Amino acid sequence: MPPQRILTKMLDITDLIDVEVTAAYVKYAIFVIVKMMLMSVATAFFRMKNKAFANPEDVVRYGKEEIAKKYLRTDPDVERVRRAHLNDLENIVPFLFIGFFYSFSGAGLSTALLHYRIFLGSRIFHTVSYLVPLPQPCRALSWLAGYLVTFSMMYRLVMVGLSLS
Amino acid sequence: MPPQRILTKMLDITDLIDVEVTAAYVKYAIFVIVKMMLMSVATAFFRMKNKAFANPEDVVRYGKEEIAKKYLRTDPDVERVRRAHLNDLENIVPFLFIGFFYSFSGAGLSTALLHYRIFLGSRIFHTVSYLVPLPQPCRALSWLAGYLVTFSMMYRLVMVGLSLS
Amino acid sequence: MPPQRILTKMLDITDLIDVEVTAAYVKYAIFVIVKMMLMSVATAFFRMKNKAFANPEDVVRYGKEEIAKKYLRTDPDVERVRRAHLNDLENIVPFLFIGFFYSFSGAGLSTALLHYRIFLGSRIFHTVSYLVPLPQPCRALSWLAGYLVTFSMMYRLVMVGLSLS
């Protein structure tokens, strides 16, 4: 590459990176990941509290085989936490990718923070709605808020991409 | 760092980034993520159409407890969409990471596009095969195509890594 | 932007990127992704070995409808592999994101490698514990090791972030 083109490319890449927005992304990504990881602990907690396990090796400590076997069962509370966890995976994974791309889209810091904050809030409220449980449409609306935030970020990415090509 | 080393490092990093390939990655990443997110809507649609819900708070609107309770059930169509969604997660998450790394591997734009397009096509065909359902081996082959694309990208990453070290 | 600010920003970004640590991340990311993807093959293997399928179109080859129908069932081995796969998703996705951010946190190569290697080992041991199955607390401890590695990387990210702001 001729030196002039290298310099132009360097400037282009430097231009793409707004360290503040990407740092905000990393911060909120950590928050939602921690929130999601806590669901594993919640599942373990409800499995122990309600004595409902999925594997024979998990119930050995409860005594002889015939006694322990009755704890190999599904429990409504455990299944509820597991559904909330899976819903997190289904929604947080898209957010983490789209939010990362979005942080390089030239969005302003305050707009980016607004997206990241609403998403985090919607997922926390979704889990609360699921585990309490709150009457519908609490859970449905909290899910929808996070879903729309992800689409709003994708909309910007598409618009920026169209203006480049 | 001495100025000369900083410059060399800058040139190395600039060299790694082929904006066109990464932009193509982002575009196809958005497509597969949208495709995956639509599975949530499909699940909700089949739950309402077939009146099969997982949570007591979701069936309150269908009347008194004894009447509503009968809608708390698993339904073959709903379970089918959920399995397709989970299969998406299991396959699209690896693609999104590997495809991202791959976009920095120095692959040509047309080769990269070929990988991304086959993957997108394979996942769309997988969902169609799952939801229609088409006779086997339609679903198996569409799954395999996406699986092999991901391994093909990993193969290049390993080869590039070996040539560097 | 005035040229001086552009240069400062370029140096900042160059400073963030330690190609060796990020290359180590990519290597271990590939390892854990391959490990996770092999769970799909394991599920297919146990479905065929134990003749336990989820979809009517998968059992057509076993004969007429009445005969084939009996293979539409859940099987303890298949469900075990599926739970191990889902646990991988729940734990490997956070690792892939946090490990990526962590590779830009200025961590030394040997510390980063220690984190990545323990995580990989913990997930392999988790799957072995799950599929053999080994008596508890083998599976619980291997899960915990990977969980703590992810939190340890997040701890560094938070500390670095706090020192910047």
Side-chain angles (χ1 to χ4, degrees):
Chain A
M1 258 198 275
Q4 187 53 45
R5 263 206 66 203
I6 292 179
L7 192 66
T8 314
K9 197 179 164 191
M10 266 189 191
L11 287 174
D12 279 356
I13 296 170
T14 309
D15 208 42
L16 263 175
I17 303 180
D18 183 334
V19 179
E20 277 193 327
V21 177
T22 306
Y25 162 75
V26 171
K27 183 173 152 188
Y28 282 90
I30 293 177
F31 286 151
V32 288
I33 289 173
V34 168
K35 188 245 143 284
M36 183 165 72
M37 288 178 76
L38 290 179
M39 301 308 282
S40 300
V41 178
T43 305
F45 171 78
F46 278 104
R47 282 204 184 280
M48 285 181 194
K49 186 187 154 213
N50 295 1
K51 290 192 178 141
F53 298 89
N55 301 293
E57 67 269 25
D58 301 349
V59 296
V60 168
R61 71 192 131 159
Y62 291 114
K64 291 231 188 85
E65 206 173 292
E66 312 86 75
I67 304 159
K69 220 163 58 180
K70 72 175 176 203
Y71 300 128
L72 287 177
R73 57 193 182 84
T74 58
D75 173 85
D77 289 345
V78 173
E79 295 308 307
R80 189 175 274 278
V81 185
R82 293 185 67 210
R83 284 195 300 273
H85 197 171
L86 188 57
N87 194 282
D88 266 1
L89 259 179
E90 291 166 0
N91 289 280
I92 288 175
V93 167
F95 167 80
L96 289 171
F97 280 99
I98 299 297
F100 179 66
F101 306 153
Y102 175 80
S103 81
F104 298 100
S105 72
L109 181 60
S110 59
T111 317
L113 279 174
L114 190 70
H115 281 85
Y116 298 155
R117 281 176 184 154
I118 294 177
F119 187 85
L120 174 64
S122 84
R123 294 314 304 176
I124 292 175
F125 192 55
H126 182 270
T127 302
V128 171
S129 307
Y130 221 145
L131 299 193
V132 170
L134 299 177
Q136 284 284 28
C138 287
R139 197 181 85 231
L141 290 181
S142 57
W143 168 81
L144 187 64
Y147 200 74
L148 293 180
V149 164
T150 307
F151 270 99
S152 165
M153 294 191 297
M154 279 197 275
Y155 177 76
R156 188 183 161 84
L157 286 167
V158 170
M159 287 299 114
V160 169
L162 290 179
S163 76
L164 291 179
S165 56
Chain B
M1 258 197 273
Q4 186 52 46
R5 263 206 66 202
I6 293 178
L7 192 66
T8 313
K9 197 179 164 193
M10 266 190 193
L11 287 173
D12 280 355
I13 296 169
T14 309
D15 208 41
L16 263 177
I17 303 180
D18 183 334
V19 178
E20 278 194 327
V21 178
T22 306
Y25 162 74
V26 171
K27 184 173 152 189
Y28 283 89
I30 292 176
F31 285 150
V32 289
I33 289 173
V34 168
K35 188 245 143 286
M36 183 165 71
M37 287 178 76
L38 291 179
M39 302 307 282
S40 299
V41 178
T43 305
F45 171 79
F46 279 104
R47 282 203 184 281
M48 285 182 195
K49 186 186 154 213
N50 295 1
K51 291 196 177 136
F53 298 89
N55 301 292
E57 67 268 27
D58 301 349
V59 296
V60 168
R61 69 191 132 162
Y62 291 114
K64 291 227 187 89
E65 206 174 292
E66 312 86 75
I67 304 159
K69 219 163 59 178
K70 72 175 176 204
Y71 299 128
L72 286 178
R73 55 193 184 85
T74 58
D75 172 83
D77 289 344
V78 173
E79 296 308 306
R80 189 175 274 278
V81 185
R82 293 184 67 210
R83 284 195 300 273
H85 197 170
L86 188 57
N87 194 281
D88 266 1
L89 259 180
E90 291 167 359
N91 289 280
I92 288 176
V93 167
F95 168 81
L96 290 171
F97 281 99
I98 299 296
F100 180 66
F101 305 154
Y102 175 81
S103 81
F104 298 101
S105 72
L109 180 60
S110 59
T111 317
L113 279 174
L114 190 69
H115 281 84
Y116 298 155
R117 281 176 184 154
I118 294 177
F119 187 84
L120 174 65
S122 84
R123 294 313 305 176
I124 291 174
F125 191 56
H126 181 269
T127 302
V128 171
S129 308
Y130 221 144
L131 299 192
V132 170
L134 298 177
Q136 285 284 28
C138 287
R139 198 181 85 231
L141 290 181
S142 59
W143 168 82
L144 187 65
Y147 200 75
L148 292 180
V149 164
T150 308
F151 270 99
S152 165
M153 294 192 298
M154 280 196 276
Y155 177 77
R156 187 183 162 84
L157 285 168
V158 170
M159 287 299 113
V160 169
L162 290 178
S163 75
L164 291 180
S165 57
Chain C
M1 255 196 279
Q4 187 53 45
R5 263 206 66 201
I6 293 178
L7 192 67
T8 313
K9 198 180 162 191
M10 266 191 191
L11 288 173
D12 279 356
I13 296 169
T14 309
D15 208 41
L16 262 176
I17 303 180
D18 182 335
V19 178
E20 278 194 326
V21 177
T22 305
Y25 162 75
V26 171
K27 184 173 153 187
Y28 282 90
I30 292 176
F31 286 151
V32 289
I33 288 172
V34 168
K35 188 245 144 285
M36 182 165 73
M37 288 178 76
L38 290 180
M39 301 308 282
S40 300
V41 178
T43 304
F45 171 78
F46 279 105
R47 281 203 184 281
M48 285 180 194
K49 187 186 153 211
N50 295 1
K51 291 195 177 137
F53 298 89
N55 301 293
E57 67 268 26
D58 302 348
V59 296
V60 168
R61 72 193 129 159
Y62 292 114
K64 291 230 188 86
E65 206 174 294
E66 313 85 74
I67 304 158
K69 220 165 58 179
K70 71 174 177 205
Y71 299 127
L72 287 177
R73 55 191 184 86
T74 58
D75 172 85
D77 289 346
V78 173
E79 296 309 306
R80 188 174 274 278
V81 185
R82 293 183 68 211
R83 284 195 300 272
H85 196 170
L86 187 57
N87 194 281
D88 266 1
L89 259 180
E90 291 167 359
N91 289 280
I92 287 175
V93 167
F95 168 80
L96 289 171
F97 280 99
I98 298 296
F100 179 66
F101 306 154
Y102 175 80
S103 81
F104 299 100
S105 73
L109 181 60
S110 59
T111 317
L113 279 174
L114 189 71
H115 281 83
Y116 297 154
R117 281 176 184 155
I118 294 177
F119 187 85
L120 174 64
S122 84
R123 294 314 304 176
I124 291 175
F125 192 55
H126 182 269
T127 302
V128 171
S129 307
Y130 220 144
L131 299 192
V132 170
L134 299 177
Q136 285 283 27
C138 286
R139 198 181 86 231
L141 289 181
S142 58
W143 168 81
L144 187 65
Y147 200 75
L148 293 180
V149 165
T150 308
F151 270 99
S152 164
M153 293 191 297
M154 279 197 275
Y155 177 77
R156 186 181 164 86
L157 286 168
V158 170
M159 287 300 114
V160 169
L162 289 179
S163 75
L164 291 180
S165 57

